[in-house]
Amino acid sequence: MRNLALTLALVGLAPLSVQAACEGVAPGQKPQNTPVQDIGRSFDRIRDEGWIEVALYEDYKPWSWEENGTPKGIDVDIAKLIAADLGVEPRIRLVQAGETLDADLLNYVYHGAAVGGHVSDLMIHVPYDVDYACRFDQVVFTGQYATERLAIAYDQASYPEKPPTPPVFRYDPVGVENDSISDFFLTSVAHGATADKVHRYKSTGDAMAGLAAHEVMAAMGPRAEIDANLAPGIGVHEPPFLGLAKQSWTLGVAVSLQHHDLGYAVDDAIAAALADGRIAKIFAAYGVDFKPPVR
């Protein structure tokens, strides 16, 4: 999980709102006196200049990372797909995740960091949530391209009869990414019942390495990160996670509100690639199970 704020929102114990979208939600404040150079480029300028800059999270396999100086990953390929549809060159900007999603949107989409920052034309891998989106009148959330969800990977020899579910982790060791949805779920939602059995790792990939090395009997995390790190003898399933507000979320694209036309073009490119199977093929190339978004 890229930031703590979204983790807390997904783990939230309160029931989901049944109000109409944006009913009673005050939007965020627009930044004042924003320098022109930090507002981003228009769609016409992007086409005239022949390139588009896309912000992606760094060190985030299988989504986006750098290898021998070359950006790779599912989101990198989706950025290239969008650029090709728009008829421009993709320029990948790998960025560090902030402490909150709010900060990432401010720094990379609609304002720019206070010191030496600039906004990118697009940001990919932005979780879409209606209630969250209602708070922002500076950002267009569009281009939903996949559904991510939580899963459990497990040592098949340790669980020969049936896959493990969260209650067994009161007794069996399980690996999670530190400060992730899985970490909060197992230690907070379960009221600490599994705290002594939760082994924290730097990433879900590291937790999967721990599982392969038999340091733990299972690992819990986002399905894509689990799929990308599977080893022989490890199974995967998606049981119910009782107590979570959400155990799946939609991934999409964020664009500055000032560039609605760019947002429409990006959404059209994503819709076409979903319809003809190109996005599914990208996921398959990385060994990741693909679940279409609800659009």
Side-chain angles (χ1 to χ4, degrees):
M1 206 60 217
R2 290 290 88 181
N3 43 68
L4 187 56
L6 184 65
T7 295
L8 293 173
L10 291 169
V11 171
L13 299 179
L16 295 177
S17 171
V18 296
Q19 292 180 323
C22 298
E23 181 180 342
V25 179
Q29 295 298 309
K30 294 181 180 178
Q32 300 298 313
N33 302 317
T34 305
V36 172
Q37 64 267 29
D38 283 342
I39 295 177
R41 300 185 303 150
S42 69
F43 188 23
D44 286 341
R45 181 180 168 190
I46 289 169
R47 288 186 293 191
D48 288 344
E49 296 181 353
W51 58 274
I52 187 167
E53 183 180 273
V54 184
L56 305 174
Y57 289 117
E58 64 182 7
D59 299 326
Y60 195 22
K61 291 184 178 181
W63 300 103
S64 47
W65 75 96
E66 186 174 88
E67 188 173 308
N68 298 323
T70 301
K72 292 189 173 184
I74 293 170
D75 288 340
V76 173
D77 289 353
I78 289 175
K80 292 177 180 179
L81 181 154
I82 292 170
D85 192 89
L86 301 183
V88 297
E89 170 200 347
R91 295 187 181 180
I92 306 301
R93 177 189 181 191
L94 295 178
V95 300
Q96 187 175 28
E99 292 186 359
T100 67
L101 180 56
D102 300 44
D104 292 344
L105 294 173
L106 183 147
N107 288 335
Y108 307 128
V109 178
Y110 71 88
H111 185 273
V115 179
H118 73 279
V119 299
S120 295
D121 301 309
L122 305 175
M123 185 171 186
I124 294 180
H125 207 91
V126 176
Y128 178 74
D129 176 82
V130 172
D131 292 335
Y132 183 82
C134 287
R135 296 201 289 110
F136 283 88
D137 57 1
Q138 310 97 332
V139 176
V140 174
F141 297 89
T142 187
Q144 288 81 29
Y145 61 91
T147 298
E148 181 60 299
R149 63 274 195 206
L150 291 177
I152 292 176
Y154 60 95
D155 178 52
Q156 292 174 318
S158 297
Y159 301 99
E161 296 183 2
K162 63 179 181 179
T165 56
V168 308
F169 301 135
R170 295 189 180 95
Y171 317 103
D172 297 344
V174 58
V176 298
E177 178 180 344
N178 188 43
D179 283 344
S180 66
I181 298 173
S182 303
D183 186 0
F184 275 74
F185 174 71
L186 291 176
T187 58
S188 298
V189 176
H191 306 294
T194 60
D196 63 331
K197 295 297 183 181
V198 174
H199 293 234
R200 295 178 175 84
Y201 294 84
K202 182 179 178 181
S203 67
T204 300
D206 289 339
M208 291 294 291
L211 173 57
H214 302 289
E215 297 171 357
V216 292
M217 296 171 64
M220 179 177 168
R223 178 67 188 260
E225 294 171 67
I226 285 176
D227 284 347
N229 291 280
L230 285 177
I234 295 177
V236 183
H237 78 132
E238 300 175 27
F241 296 101
L242 301 179
L244 273 180
K246 296 183 180 180
Q247 66 183 65
S248 66
W249 55 97
T250 302
L251 299 174
V253 179
V255 184
S256 170
L257 181 73
Q258 299 186 31
H259 305 303
H260 268 289
D261 52 351
L262 174 61
Y264 293 138
V266 168
D267 194 61
D268 287 345
I270 293 291
L274 285 169
D276 65 18
R278 281 177 289 158
I279 288 181
K281 288 180 180 178
I282 288 173
F283 277 74
Y286 290 90
V288 173
D289 185 69
F290 173 65
K291 185 175 182 178
V294 177
R295 289 170 56 89

